[in-house]
Amino acid sequence: MNRQEFYRDKYKAKNSEWMDSQSIYKILINERVNTNTKILDIGCGHGDFMKEVYDKTNFSFGIDPDASALEKNSFIKNKFVASAEKLPFQDNTFDIVVSAWVLEHIQNPRESFSEIFRVLKPGGKVIFLTPNVWNYNVWIIRAIPERFHEFFTKRLYNRKDHDTYPKSYKINSEKSLMKTLTPIGFQKSEIIFNGDPSYISFNEPLFKFASLIETLLDKKPLRFMKVHLIGVFEK
């Protein structure tokens, strides 16, 4: 168990109703997937936390611009080296398009979501998980020059080499999402703001401090500042 997992478990023990963001994201997708669901994962990389969901369907697809990361992915059935700005699929192909930890890297949000809209079937959903630009963790990250990000994420969060990519945060707030997706034709189904104290919990005092911040962000006027955005939009 790494440091983040340790403090997430500790926070969960004190806040029984809390759920980490990846689990919420996974549940939102899992409840919409069956044997015949055609699902596209944008930026799927090599992470396997969605394996049991994708095992439910015969039609799992994934794209990633990083060929080496894509090669390590052993559970998505159909893989393509590509980017969100130019998806190699026909119109109205997918029931669901999903993306975790990708929106913060997108340089052309309108082009990317226009492509997602194009490949989704009518009534199809796009579901995503991304950092919230209004949260203090993002403020800290943006204050650190990009060239140092791999060094810090590798040592502080136990990331592997070359698992960090340049970030732009062009579509990482509810306002920017609505401004971009609504003119394309998407309708908001749900946006969830979810907290997580583990990012700055490098020791017990910092864990207590981060937990206090989460208590403050639970107040209704401040919920928009929680660390993660989980969104569901419909075509």
Side-chain angles (χ1 to χ4, degrees):
M1 178 184 292
N2 64 31
R3 177 194 56 78
Q4 270 197 294
E5 291 169 343
F6 172 79
Y7 283 113
R8 279 174 180 156
D9 286 350
K10 189 167 185 175
Y11 187 70
K12 175 70 173 177
K14 294 182 177 181
N15 302 271
S16 59
E17 295 184 359
W18 178 79
M19 187 179 297
D20 69 272
S21 296
Q22 282 195 171
S23 295
I24 296 172
Y25 170 78
K26 186 175 179 180
I27 289 170
L28 287 171
I29 297 167
N30 186 57
E31 64 188 16
R32 292 173 167 87
V33 173
N34 58 48
T35 305
N36 296 314
T37 303
K38 288 188 176 180
I39 186 168
L40 170 64
D41 190 324
I42 293 178
C44 60
H46 58 76
D48 63 356
F49 80 98
M50 292 291 291
K51 182 180 185 304
E52 63 186 86
V53 177
Y54 295 151
D55 282 348
K56 290 172 60 177
T57 175
N58 296 319
F59 304 100
S60 59
F61 293 75
I63 68 153
D64 201 292
D66 187 336
S68 61
L70 199 62
E71 188 176 355
K72 298 174 187 175
N73 190 306
S74 60
F75 60 92
I76 288 181
K77 297 176 179 66
N78 305 281
K79 300 178 290 184
F80 302 84
V81 177
S83 66
E85 289 88 349
K86 191 173 183 180
L87 296 174
F89 307 105
Q90 294 182 352
D91 298 359
N92 307 316
T93 297
F94 296 101
D95 301 290
I96 306 173
V97 174
V98 303
S99 193
W101 315 123
V102 171
L103 268 63
E104 63 270 26
H105 305 289
I106 289 178
Q107 294 296 323
N108 300 295
R110 187 172 185 82
E111 290 85 347
S112 297
F113 275 94
S114 293
E115 276 289 273
I116 291 170
F117 189 87
R118 178 183 67 78
V119 302
L120 274 172
K121 296 176 182 178
K125 305 286 197 304
V126 57
I127 304 173
F128 52 82
L129 164 60
T130 193
N132 178 10
V133 75
W134 289 107
N135 186 260
Y136 67 94
N137 283 284
V138 173
W139 304 343
I140 293 170
I141 291 168
R142 297 184 82 171
I144 299 171
E146 188 69 44
R147 63 182 180 275
F148 297 123
H149 284 194
E150 184 169 335
F151 173 85
F152 283 112
T153 53
K154 181 181 177 182
R155 284 154 181 79
L156 298 178
Y157 303 115
N158 198 31
R159 297 269 185 88
K160 296 180 180 179
D161 288 339
H162 310 300
D163 264 6
T164 57
Y165 304 94
K167 291 166 284 294
S168 60
Y169 300 108
K170 290 185 177 181
I171 194 169
N172 287 77
S173 69
E174 182 173 16
K175 182 178 179 179
S176 60
L177 283 163
M178 296 300 294
K179 185 177 180 180
T180 302
L181 272 65
T182 301
I184 293 170
F186 281 107
Q187 294 186 14
K188 183 180 76 171
S189 296
E190 187 173 12
I191 289 182
I192 299 168
F193 297 98
N194 196 51
D196 187 336
S198 69
Y199 287 94
I200 64 167
S201 297
F202 303 118
N203 52 44
E204 192 65 23
L206 281 173
F207 170 68
K208 290 180 179 179
F209 176 66
S211 298
L212 175 61
I213 293 176
E214 292 303 325
T215 300
L216 294 174
L217 296 184
D218 279 335
K219 307 297 182 184
K220 190 173 181 179
L222 299 178
R223 286 177 190 167
F224 77 98
M225 298 178 69
K226 286 180 174 286
V227 66
H228 295 144
L229 281 172
I230 306 150
V232 182
F233 282 73
E234 181 176 338
K235 176 174 178 178

